Amino acid sequence: DAGSLSLAVIQRHGYESSDYSLDGRVTLLQSATCGLGIDLVVVGDAFTDRLVADGTSRRWLEAAVEGFFDVEPYASFRQCFNVYMVDAVSRNEEYGARMSHALESYYDNSVVKGSLQAAYTYACKAVKAVAETPVLVVMNSPRYGGVAYTAKGVPGPFASGFGVGFVPHCSDAAGMGRLVHHEVCGHAFAKLEDEYHTNSSSVPASAVAQKKSEYDEFGWWCNVDFSNDPAAVKWSAFISDPRYSSEGLGVFQGCMTYARGAWRPSQTSIMDNNYGTFNAPSREMIYKRIMKTAENIL
């Protein structure tokens, strides 16, 4: 009856964890079989003690890992990765005012936010050297969204640095997988820039200077440029290479959320709308980062 339904809802919304004994538990999901091994850490957020204990958290985290590896070039180099799952027990299992979560993820209106420092702390429970580790945080939420945070690493052309992506499970493994591609495979690991625009303005001069500096020092943002000259952009070699003639590569204005003043390599891609594939210059950076981190041969 209506009274029973109301009581059930109150109880569900009011649930709080009381047992934190599984918080920080580490499970090795996969061991690298080639090279030095690249550590990937997956953690859940807004999963209470009961959702960790009954395997709900693990099911979503394992689905997210499968999403990470179901796109190229990650699919072809899966054997280069060690994958660790770290259990995180949150006080609350929902999102809203006064909810407390282990990795501090929340929605600021429609924008996802979370704590890079908390992700780093949980990653350290699984691996000793986390400076180059990508962290995949799965939020216990059906709401669409996502965000990535990156930290600078070792100077060089290989997109060095720690990175974390927060993605909700969206109640759909395929939808979550597309967010994993963008936030974790693209941003957190390869340090790729967004190839979409959400406003009609031009890229500020300060942002141009910052992106150029980070590209020159760390190799970040290889998939955007501030020139519209096909012979001068970062991916010019791909444009002129007949082996890539079927990929529709060129110089397309609008990226980094700005409509003008910055250009991207393809009309659409994973770094644009989360669908499809990574374009050629993005795939190249992913490949280089994998080779440098797993094999140290570049």
Side-chain angles (χ1 to χ4, degrees), residues 185-270:
C185 298
H187 286 314
F189 185 74
K191 312 302 189 295
L192 303 176
E193 182 54 281
D194 288 317
E195 295 179 13
Y196 60 81
H197 62 274
T198 56
N199 62 66
S200 59
S201 60
S202 295
V203 182
S206 59
V208 172
Q210 176 189 349
K211 298 298 178 183
K212 285 184 175 179
S213 174
E214 290 170 342
Y215 174 77
D216 290 342
E217 187 173 3
F218 300 103
W220 293 11
W221 326 127
C222 72
N223 61 323
V224 298
D225 211 336
F226 306 102
S227 167
N228 62 356
D229 181 356
V233 292
K234 297 170 185 174
W235 52 91
S236 60
F238 289 106
I239 296 176
S240 61
D241 191 329
R243 293 174 298 177
Y244 298 90
S245 59
S246 64
E247 295 198 19
L249 298 174
V251 185
F252 302 86
Q253 186 166 213
C255 53
M256 292 174 54
T257 74
Y258 297 96
R260 300 191 304 276
W263 286 264
R264 64 191 190 276
S266 56
Q267 186 66 53
T268 187
S269 75
I270 284 171

Side-chain angles (χ1 to χ4, degrees), residues 19 22 58-59 65 82 90 97 128 143 148 152 168 172 174 195 205 219-221 227 251 261:
D19 180 2
L22 295 180
R58 177 166 184 156
R59 286 191 292 273
V65 170
N82 302 308
S90 293
K128 293 181 178 179
R143 292 179 60 187
K152 294 176 181 178
D172 172 60
E195 295 179 13
W220 293 11
W221 326 127
S227 167
V251 185

Side-chain angles (χ1 to χ4, degrees), residues 40-256:
L40 168 66
V41 176
V42 58
V43 191
D45 204 24
F47 291 95
T48 54
D49 53 359
R50 62 181 179 179
L51 297 181
V52 173
D54 70 7
T56 299
S57 174
R58 177 166 184 156
R59 286 191 292 273
W60 282 118
L61 269 57
E62 289 183 329
V65 170
E66 293 306 309
F68 183 92
F69 289 113
D70 71 4
V71 65
E72 292 292 356
Y74 293 96
S76 293
F77 292 95
R78 179 168 184 162
Q79 69 274 15
C80 294
F81 287 80
N82 302 308
V83 183
Y84 299 92
M85 180 181 73
V86 183
D87 290 311
V89 177
S90 293
R91 188 185 75 184
N92 303 111
E93 59 191 42
E94 295 176 314
Y95 284 86
R98 296 182 297 280
M99 297 291 104
S100 176
H101 306 128
L103 284 95
E104 303 176 25
S105 62
Y106 65 101
Y107 289 88
D108 183 359
N109 294 319
S110 60
V111 178
V112 169
K113 295 185 178 180
S115 171
L116 182 146
Q117 181 59 55
Y120 184 92
T121 298
Y122 273 92
C124 287
K125 298 178 185 296
V127 297
K128 293 181 178 179
V130 300
E132 301 296 333
T133 301
V135 180
L136 196 177
V137 179
V138 178
M139 301 162 56
N140 181 31
S141 172
R143 292 179 60 187
Y144 192 82
V147 70
Y149 301 97
T150 53
K152 294 176 181 178
V154 179
F158 303 107
S160 176
F162 177 79
V164 55
F166 286 80
V167 300
H169 60 56
C170 302
S171 298
D172 172 60
M176 175 177 59
R178 289 190 291 271
L179 289 170
V180 170
H181 296 163
H182 184 100
E183 303 294 354
V184 186
C185 298
H187 286 314
F189 185 74
K191 312 302 189 295
L192 303 176
E193 182 54 281
D194 288 317
E195 295 179 13
Y196 60 81
H197 62 274
T198 56
N199 62 66
S200 59
S201 60
S202 295
V203 182
S206 59
V208 172
Q210 176 189 349
K211 298 298 178 183
K212 285 184 175 179
S213 174
E214 290 170 342
Y215 174 77
D216 290 342
E217 187 173 3
F218 300 103
W220 293 11
W221 326 127
C222 72
N223 61 323
V224 298
D225 211 336
F226 306 102
S227 167
N228 62 356
D229 181 356
V233 292
K234 297 170 185 174
W235 52 91
S236 60
F238 289 106
I239 296 176
S240 61
D241 191 329
R243 293 174 298 177
Y244 298 90
S245 59
S246 64
E247 295 198 19
L249 298 174
V251 185
F252 302 86
Q253 186 166 213
C255 53
M256 292 174 54

